[in-house]
Amino acid sequence: EVQLVESGGGLVQPGGSLRLSCAASGFTFSAYWMSWVRQAPGKGLEWVANIKQDGSEKYYVDSVKGRFTISRDNTKNSLYLQMNSLRAEDTAVYYCVRSIAVAGFRPWGQGTLVMVSS
Amino acid sequence: EIVLTQSPGTLSLSPGERATLSCRASQSVSSSYLAWYQQIPGQAPRLLIYSASNRATGIPDRFSGSGSGTDFTLTISRLEPEDFAVYYCQLYGNSPPITFGQGTRLEIK
């Protein structure tokens, strides 16, 4: 069974840092692009970042450029999101998602909640 | 920047009725990169349709997608109780733009 399990969320003060992790299983992790998507409380979905199979290409939504870094470790079947200089508007559930270029984002992890507040 | 606008914002229907949800792009997009997702409150989104009209694995055939260019539609032929949820369209690919519509909430009338 294809599975994605996020961890690392929590409460952090504005300006702080947090590192999210996503453990993948049930598929050949190194063969897929991977993405992070977030959802602020009561709001819609927002794509945050994605990374190519070998990590050679990375893309970010403008609002996180220079603050967030996506990375992966194919030997550990893991995806990461390093979040620095966090702001209140970064408060959201963060989902790890497998990306398939012509076949959509599937599956989605259960999400991990990041709360930025003093 | 490509913007996806979904309408209506909220759709109130009864079980057994037909639902038609719209997604309009601010400029023409390839239908190969247009998807629809369902999100039940408290759960992660689930892929329903990819490449505008292809059902994902395990999705019932009452769900169908259509459209091209700037106008796309998700149709649910006969609503089941479990279909009442929020639906998002998405433009996807390996590089930006990767964007979601703001969602349509399908509620029980």
Side-chain angles (χ1 to χ4, degrees):
Chain A
E1 178 192 5
V2 176
Q3 195 169 14
L4 298 168
V5 179
E6 302 93 336
S7 61
L11 176 62
V12 61
Q13 292 187 338
S17 298
L18 213 53
R19 188 195 196 207
L20 305 184
S21 299
C22 171
S25 60
F27 65 102
T28 304
F29 180 73
S30 60
Y32 292 89
W33 284 74
M34 296 294 295
S35 288
W36 288 99
V37 175
R38 67 183 178 183
Q39 186 170 37
K43 302 298 184 182
L45 302 170
E46 180 183 41
W47 170 79
V48 174
N50 68 348
I51 185 169
K52 193 176 179 179
Q53 291 92 329
D54 62 359
S56 62
E57 293 182 41
K58 304 175 185 181
Y59 300 97
Y60 301 90
V61 67
D62 285 348
S63 59
V64 309
K65 283 180 182 176
R67 301 188 299 122
F68 290 12
T69 302
I70 189 171
S71 63
R72 64 193 296 163
D73 185 338
N74 289 340
T75 66
K76 296 182 178 180
N77 291 339
S78 293
L79 178 71
Y80 306 101
L81 187 67
Q82 177 67 44
M83 304 185 294
N84 299 330
S85 303
L86 282 161
R87 306 167 180 167
E89 55 264 35
D90 295 319
T91 293
V93 173
Y94 285 73
Y95 294 101
C96 167
V97 196
R98 185 178 67 171
S99 315
I100 305 175
V102 293
F105 282 19
R106 56 172 147 176
W108 297 58
Q110 86 289 350
T112 187
L113 176 61
V114 172
M115 294 185 61
V116 184
S117 174
S118 56
Chain B
E1 178 191 0
I2 299 176
V3 177
L4 299 180
T5 302
Q6 294 186 239
S7 61
T10 301
L11 186 58
S12 299
L13 294 170
S14 301
E17 290 193 294
R18 180 184 186 91
T20 302
L21 287 67
S22 174
C23 175
R24 177 163 290 178
S26 57
Q27 57 187 274
S28 183
V29 301
S30 170
S31 59
S32 296
Y33 301 104
L34 196 288
W36 290 92
Y37 299 84
Q38 177 195 63
Q39 187 176 33
I40 295 168
Q43 296 185 18
R46 175 176 71 146
L47 176 69
L48 297 175
I49 301 289
Y50 65 95
S51 297
S53 60
N54 294 282
R55 271 188 304 277
T57 303
I59 301 304
D61 60 8
R62 64 180 182 272
F63 291 91
S64 63
S66 63
S68 63
T70 60
D71 292 301
F72 298 88
T73 301
L74 174 69
T75 301
I76 311 172
S77 59
R78 284 181 57 85
L79 286 167
E80 297 287 343
E82 61 267 28
D83 298 337
F84 292 91
V86 180
Y87 293 84
Y88 296 93
C89 60
Q90 181 207 24
L91 178 64
Y92 61 90
N94 286 336
S95 59
I98 300 171
T99 187
F100 292 90
Q102 83 281 14
T104 289
R105 179 174 174 242
L106 179 56
E107 65 176 24
I108 299 176
K109 186 174 182 180

